[in-house]
Amino acid sequence: MRKILLIQFIVMCLIGCSSNPNNTDLVNKVSKLEEENQQLKETIKLLEYPASNRLISINKLISENKFNEANTEINELQKLFPKSIESGEANNLKQIILDKQAKAKEEEDRIKALGFKALKEEPNIQVGYNKISVGAFSTATTFTYDAYDSRYFYNTADRGNKYVSARITITSTSKDPLLPVFYAYSISGDKLVLIDSFNLRFARWEDYGSYLGNYHDNGNDFAKTSTIPFKIGIEVSEELLQNPVVILVKNENCLKRKYNRFDDPSVSYSSDNCSSHKTLSIEDLKEKYFVVKILNKNKI
């Protein structure tokens, strides 16, 4: 700190003496001292962040698989605190990173070798603040949803098509959450090709009046309850259903709750802010999606 103050004093003096425009040497000295002053300030700022805190940050980055950022932090720690205990521990962390990277590469190579056969189904997943539990999938000519009392609504598939559907439950910590989208993909070589996205409907209502929006259904409002049952359904050609169909959930919440008194039902979820990938590689899938079900997996 004293050195910074001294440099600042010298800079002020030199500036006062450098009114002569031909005094190039003094101007250069001023510039050099100002640069040194800035470097000292930056060094002090770095040293204000103790080695123990840096170590905590490094461990967090490693746990999140942010290896490049973790290595950068390790190198800076060892540079600033070469004799500290934490600096010594940093070498162990570097080895942990190398081991994790080697294991990830080994798993990646294994999946590439096996192709889509290595994909694992995950019926229970977490997407942000939402926990999703997926029930059994069925294939039929109809898709039923919006049940009330002993009645329900349904869609009937066109000739040559079937509906693939399932009951899901979503538990959210948010009172007004965005919800994730389910997608169906077919397999083409080493790529997945999008068939379409699933429709998301409420599983049931308290009665017909709540379905119409005549009064509020607390059971279908995350502001009132943490868990709500839904039905998902998609119409797929029977030809595609003869082959493997991979059902995915994107690791993103985008479906937005909307209310329109004149719609049936008055409450639904809109996909206006959602986007999909027309094709996916295995690497893309691993980074951005969850596999919840593979129909006809034995045919892969």
Side-chain angles (χ1 to χ4, degrees):
M1 183 61 72
R2 289 180 179 177
K3 186 173 181 180
I4 289 177
L5 292 174
L6 178 59
I7 289 174
Q8 290 175 335
F9 176 74
I10 294 171
V11 169
M12 291 175 65
C13 291
L14 289 172
I15 291 173
C17 297
S18 61
S19 57
N20 184 347
N22 295 321
N23 200 341
T24 305
D25 290 341
L26 283 176
V27 172
N28 291 338
K29 287 180 180 179
V30 168
S31 297
K32 184 177 180 180
L33 287 169
E34 286 179 338
E35 184 180 343
E36 289 181 2
N37 186 35
Q38 183 61 33
Q39 289 174 350
L40 286 170
K41 284 182 178 179
E42 291 175 359
T43 301
I44 288 174
K45 186 176 180 180
L46 288 171
L47 292 173
E48 286 175 348
Y49 183 22
S52 57
N53 287 1
R54 290 176 182 273
L55 198 62
I56 293 172
S57 175
I58 291 167
N59 275 291
K60 185 174 184 297
L61 290 171
I62 292 174
S63 69
E64 296 172 351
N65 293 331
K66 296 178 180 178
F67 302 132
N68 290 336
E69 294 177 41
N71 274 318
T72 298
E73 288 284 336
I74 289 172
N75 292 335
E76 192 169 84
L77 183 151
Q78 291 179 316
K79 178 181 177 181
L80 293 171
F81 307 97
K83 296 182 180 180
S84 70
I85 296 174
E86 289 84 355
S87 180
E89 292 179 4
N91 287 323
N92 295 329
L93 292 177
K94 281 188 174 182
Q95 187 58 51
I96 289 173
I97 291 173
L98 290 173
D99 292 343
K100 279 179 169 283
Q101 288 176 323
K103 188 174 181 181
K105 181 66 168 57
E106 184 179 309
E107 178 67 8
E108 182 181 338
D109 291 342
R110 185 183 72 85
I111 289 177
K112 282 183 177 180
L114 291 174
F116 293 104
K117 287 184 179 180
L119 296 179
K120 295 180 180 179
E121 299 174 342
E122 299 180 82
N124 299 294
I125 59 174
Q126 178 95 33
V127 181
Y129 42 57
N130 296 322
K131 289 183 180 179
I132 299 97
S133 179
V134 183
F137 280 86
S138 62
T139 302
T141 56
T142 59
F143 168 44
T144 63
Y145 51 89
D146 286 333
Y148 62 91
D149 300 329
S150 60
R151 301 182 180 183
Y152 53 83
F153 290 87
Y154 66 92
N155 291 344
T156 302
D158 292 342
R159 287 188 301 116
N161 293 347
K162 289 287 182 66
Y163 268 102
V164 177
S165 62
R167 181 185 176 93
I168 68 169
T169 56
I170 298 179
T171 301
S172 183
T173 58
S174 171
K175 293 183 179 180
D176 185 22
L178 300 176
L179 303 182
V181 184
F182 286 71
Y183 296 96
Y185 282 80
S186 61
I187 297 175
S188 178
D190 62 349
K191 299 284 185 182
L192 291 179
V193 179
L194 178 66
I195 298 173
D196 207 344
S197 60
F198 280 78
N199 291 315
L200 179 76
R201 304 280 189 165
F202 287 101
R204 68 176 303 107
W205 297 85
E206 187 176 343
D207 53 31
Y208 189 53
S210 63
Y211 166 82
L212 292 175
N214 293 338
Y215 48 86
H216 196 72
D217 188 337
N218 291 339
N220 283 341
D221 186 352
F222 283 106
K224 306 298 182 182
T225 182
S226 61
T227 301
I228 295 178
F230 292 90
K231 297 289 288 294
I232 57 170
I234 185 174
E235 188 173 355
V236 182
S237 72
E238 291 179 347
E239 182 180 358
L240 283 175
L241 288 174
Q242 296 301 311
N243 300 304
V245 174
V246 184
I247 299 172
L248 308 177
V249 177
K250 195 174 183 181
N251 190 15
E252 173 187 53
N253 294 305
C254 64
L255 292 172
K256 184 176 179 61
R257 183 184 176 96
K258 68 174 184 177
Y259 173 82
N260 187 326
R261 177 66 182 82
F262 301 103
D263 283 347
D264 292 332
S266 57
V267 177
S268 61
Y269 279 86
S270 168
S271 61
D272 292 347
N273 297 320
C274 301
S275 62
S276 60
H277 294 84
K278 300 300 182 184
T279 61
L280 287 170
S281 66
I282 292 179
E283 291 76 14
D284 294 333
L285 188 157
K286 285 176 58 184
E287 290 177 4
K288 302 168 184 175
Y289 292 84
F290 297 98
V291 179
V292 295
K293 183 67 177 177
I294 303 176
L295 305 179
N296 301 319
K297 187 176 182 179
N298 61 317
K299 294 184 177 181
I300 295 178

